[in-house]
Amino acid sequence: MDEYALMTYYVRYLKEIRKVSDSTVKHYQEALRYISKRLVEKGKLQQTVYEIQELSELEMIRTYLYNDPGFVALDKRGHQMYSAGFNNYYKFASGQGFSNIHQQIGVMDIEVPVAEKQTYTMEVWKRSAIIKIQSIESAGYQCEIDPKHNTFTAKSTGHPYMEGHHALPMKHQDKFSKSLDIYANIICLCPICHRLLHYGVESEKENVLNKIYYDRSVRLAASGIKISKTDFKKLVV
C-alpha cells in the first residue's frame, strides 16, 4: 500500500462508493500527480497533495493554484482537467459526498501502515483531521451511541455539533502494527458521550464501551486491528 493512506482511501472511495469508472479514476490521479509535481517545484509540498492532513492547508493550496497564472493557463488548455481533478479530491477531503454512506463506509476498512510520529511541545502520533471530518459526515451528524442525543448547531458546518473520537486511543499506537487513525476506529459522538468516555466513571461507561466494541470490532479487524473485548476495555478505560 502507498505511504499516503489518503490516496488509497480516495481511490477506494471513488471505485467502491461512488462507482466511478477506472478511466475516470485514472484521469483524476493523473491530474493530482501533475499538480503535486508543480507544487513540489514551487516549494509548496514535499512530494504530493496526499501528504496534507489539514483541510485549512488544502484550502490554501487551492487558493494558491487558482491564483497562479501558469496553472490557470495550463488548466484552460487542458479543458479544466486539472482543476476538476483537484476539486474532486477537495470535495472528498472535506467530507462532501459522505452524507448517508454510513452503511457503505465499511468498504474503506483496509490495513494502513503506521504514520510517522511528529513532535510539537510533546510527542504525539500523527493523525488526519480530514478522516475525522469525513467520519462525522458519514454518520449524518448523529451520535453513534444514541442518535436521539441532541446538541447545538455548529457555526462551521450548519449541522448538529459532533466530535470525532478514536475508540482505541492514539496513545496506544505503539501496541499495534497497523494505524489506529482509520475510519473503523473513529466514532461520531455528541459532546456528552465524548466527555463520558474520557472522564466518566467506569460503571457509567460500561454499556457505551460494549456498544462501541460490538459495532466496530469486525471493521477494526478488517483494518488489521484484531483485539478481544477484554483487551479493548483495558485500553480505553
Side-chain angles (χ1 to χ4, degrees):
M1 177 175 167
D2 189 271
E3 176 185 359
Y4 298 103
L6 280 170
M7 184 182 83
T8 303
Y9 277 141
Y10 180 46
V11 171
R12 199 171 182 89
Y13 168 77
L14 291 174
K15 291 183 176 181
E16 301 296 333
I17 295 181
R18 284 191 52 192
K19 306 299 183 184
V20 172
S21 68
D22 288 343
S23 61
T24 300
V25 172
K26 183 179 179 181
H27 287 315
Y28 285 154
Q29 290 292 80
E30 288 176 349
L32 289 172
R33 274 195 291 271
Y34 177 81
I35 289 172
S36 295
K37 181 181 178 181
R38 185 178 184 87
L39 291 169
V40 169
E41 291 172 350
K42 298 290 185 177
K44 301 297 181 181
L45 295 176
Q46 292 184 350
Q47 294 184 9
T48 171
V49 295
Y50 297 112
E51 72 194 42
I52 298 174
Q53 299 295 314
E54 299 292 337
L55 193 59
S56 59
E57 187 177 346
L58 196 61
E59 289 172 349
M60 287 190 289
I61 289 293
R62 181 175 63 172
T63 300
Y64 172 81
L65 280 174
Y66 294 170
N67 284 281
D68 176 4
F71 175 78
V72 173
L74 177 73
D75 191 44
K76 185 176 181 180
R77 292 195 299 272
H79 303 287
Q80 285 72 51
M81 178 185 79
Y82 300 105
S83 58
F86 188 88
N87 287 339
N88 196 71
Y89 178 67
Y90 179 82
K91 290 178 181 178
F92 161 79
S94 62
Q96 295 181 45
F98 273 67
S99 299
N100 303 316
I101 67 165
H102 198 48
Q103 300 304 316
Q104 300 170 269
I105 201 170
V107 302
M108 307 280 274
D109 295 338
I110 53 177
E111 295 186 358
V112 176
V114 176
E116 72 275 13
K117 288 182 179 178
Q118 291 185 332
T119 302
Y120 300 97
T121 54
M122 60 181 293
E123 189 176 65
V124 297
W125 286 98
K126 186 176 179 181
R127 62 196 72 196
S128 173
I130 287 175
I131 292 176
K132 183 175 287 188
I133 289 171
Q134 293 170 334
S135 296
I136 294 172
E137 179 74 23
S138 74
Y141 295 90
Q142 291 185 326
C143 179
E144 294 190 68
I145 301 305
D146 188 342
K148 296 179 181 178
H149 288 176
N150 294 318
T151 181
F152 58 90
T153 301
K155 182 179 180 180
S156 60
T157 65
H159 292 288
Y161 177 78
M162 292 289 161
E163 299 175 345
H165 170 73
H166 286 83
L168 285 166
M170 289 296 295
K171 65 182 180 180
H172 294 308
Q173 181 63 78
D174 285 318
K175 298 179 174 65
F176 299 90
S177 62
K178 302 300 179 182
S179 177
L180 293 179
D181 193 33
I182 51 177
Y183 293 110
N185 193 42
I186 298 178
I187 314 295
C188 177
L189 298 176
C190 70
I192 298 301
C193 286
H194 197 184
R195 297 303 181 273
L196 168 65
L197 290 179
H198 282 290
Y199 308 115
V201 297
E202 292 184 24
S203 60
E204 293 184 10
K205 293 194 289 186
E206 180 73 11
N207 291 336
V208 173
L209 294 177
N210 286 338
K211 176 174 174 53
I212 291 174
Y213 180 79
Y214 286 123
D215 284 351
R216 295 303 180 100
S217 58
V218 173
R219 290 184 56 191
L220 285 168
S223 303
I225 310 296
K226 297 179 181 179
I227 187 170
S228 69
K229 181 179 176 182
T230 299
D231 290 336
F232 175 80
K233 287 190 172 182
K234 286 180 180 178
L235 294 181
V236 300
V237 295

